[in-house]
Short mmCIF file of all heavy atoms in Angstrom, two decimals:
data_model
loop_
_atom_site.label_atom_id
_atom_site.label_comp_id
_atom_site.label_asym_id
_atom_site.label_seq_id
_atom_site.Cartn_x
_atom_site.Cartn_y
_atom_site.Cartn_z
N LEU Y 35 13.16 -144.51 208.66
CA LEU Y 35 13.61 -145.91 208.74
C LEU Y 35 13.56 -146.58 207.37
O LEU Y 35 14.44 -147.37 207.03
CB LEU Y 35 12.73 -146.68 209.73
CG LEU Y 35 13.15 -146.61 211.19
CD1 LEU Y 35 12.17 -147.36 212.04
CD2 LEU Y 35 14.55 -147.19 211.38
N ALA Y 47 6.43 -150.78 215.94
CA ALA Y 47 6.74 -149.95 217.10
C ALA Y 47 6.48 -150.74 218.36
O ALA Y 47 5.51 -151.47 218.45
CB ALA Y 47 5.88 -148.71 217.10
N ILE Y 48 7.39 -150.63 219.31
CA ILE Y 48 7.11 -151.26 220.60
C ILE Y 48 7.37 -150.24 221.71
O ILE Y 48 8.17 -149.33 221.56
CB ILE Y 48 7.94 -152.53 220.85
CG1 ILE Y 48 9.41 -152.15 221.12
CG2 ILE Y 48 7.83 -153.54 219.75
CD1 ILE Y 48 10.02 -153.08 222.12
N GLU Y 55 14.96 -152.09 238.01
CA GLU Y 55 16.42 -152.11 237.99
C GLU Y 55 16.96 -151.14 236.94
O GLU Y 55 17.94 -150.43 237.18
CB GLU Y 55 16.90 -153.54 237.69
CG GLU Y 55 18.36 -153.75 238.02
CD GLU Y 55 18.90 -155.03 237.39
OE1 GLU Y 55 18.08 -155.98 237.24
OE2 GLU Y 55 20.09 -155.06 237.06
N LEU Y 69 13.55 -138.83 234.14
CA LEU Y 69 13.10 -140.20 234.30
C LEU Y 69 11.65 -140.36 233.85
O LEU Y 69 10.80 -139.53 234.14
CB LEU Y 69 13.22 -140.59 235.77
CG LEU Y 69 13.61 -142.04 236.00
CD1 LEU Y 69 14.85 -142.40 235.22
CD2 LEU Y 69 13.83 -142.26 237.48
N LEU Y 84 16.78 -158.39 213.08
CA LEU Y 84 16.72 -156.96 213.38
C LEU Y 84 17.80 -156.20 212.62
O LEU Y 84 18.99 -156.54 212.68
CB LEU Y 84 16.90 -156.77 214.90
CG LEU Y 84 16.87 -155.33 215.40
CD1 LEU Y 84 15.48 -154.72 215.24
CD2 LEU Y 84 17.30 -155.27 216.87
N VAL Y 106 19.72 -146.35 215.25
CA VAL Y 106 20.93 -147.10 215.61
C VAL Y 106 20.85 -148.51 215.05
O VAL Y 106 19.76 -149.03 214.80
CB VAL Y 106 21.13 -147.17 217.15
CG1 VAL Y 106 21.34 -145.79 217.74
CG2 VAL Y 106 19.96 -147.88 217.83
N ASP Y 135 25.49 -135.19 210.89
CA ASP Y 135 26.32 -136.33 210.50
C ASP Y 135 27.47 -136.58 211.47
O ASP Y 135 28.10 -137.65 211.41
CB ASP Y 135 26.85 -136.14 209.07
CG ASP Y 135 25.76 -136.45 208.03
OD1 ASP Y 135 24.70 -136.95 208.43
OD2 ASP Y 135 25.98 -136.17 206.83
N ALA Y 158 23.61 -120.83 217.40
CA ALA Y 158 22.69 -121.93 217.68
C ALA Y 158 23.23 -122.75 218.85
O ALA Y 158 23.03 -123.96 218.92
CB ALA Y 158 22.52 -122.80 216.44
N THR Y 159 23.93 -122.07 219.76
CA THR Y 159 24.61 -122.76 220.86
C THR Y 159 23.64 -123.60 221.69
O THR Y 159 23.93 -124.76 222.00
CB THR Y 159 25.28 -121.73 221.79
OG1 THR Y 159 25.85 -120.71 220.99
CG2 THR Y 159 26.33 -122.37 222.65
N ILE Y 160 22.50 -123.01 222.03
CA ILE Y 160 21.58 -123.70 222.93
C ILE Y 160 21.01 -124.94 222.26
O ILE Y 160 20.99 -126.03 222.85
CB ILE Y 160 20.45 -122.75 223.39
CG1 ILE Y 160 21.05 -121.60 224.21
CG2 ILE Y 160 19.39 -123.49 224.19
CD1 ILE Y 160 20.05 -120.52 224.59
N GLN Y 171 22.17 -138.87 225.99
CA GLN Y 171 21.32 -139.46 227.01
C GLN Y 171 20.57 -140.68 226.48
O GLN Y 171 20.48 -141.71 227.15
CB GLN Y 171 20.30 -138.40 227.44
CG GLN Y 171 20.18 -138.28 228.93
CD GLN Y 171 19.45 -137.02 229.28
OE1 GLN Y 171 18.35 -136.78 228.78
NE2 GLN Y 171 20.05 -136.21 230.11
N PRO Y 181 19.86 -155.30 227.01
CA PRO Y 181 19.58 -156.74 227.11
C PRO Y 181 18.10 -157.09 226.96
O PRO Y 181 17.73 -157.96 226.18
CB PRO Y 181 20.09 -157.11 228.51
CG PRO Y 181 21.03 -156.02 228.88
CD PRO Y 181 20.54 -154.78 228.19
#
Side-chain angles (χ1 to χ4, degrees):
Chain Y
L35 274 178
I48 72 145
E55 196 195 330
L69 215 52
L84 179 67
V106 297
D135 282 352
T159 320
I160 296 174
Q171 228 166 54

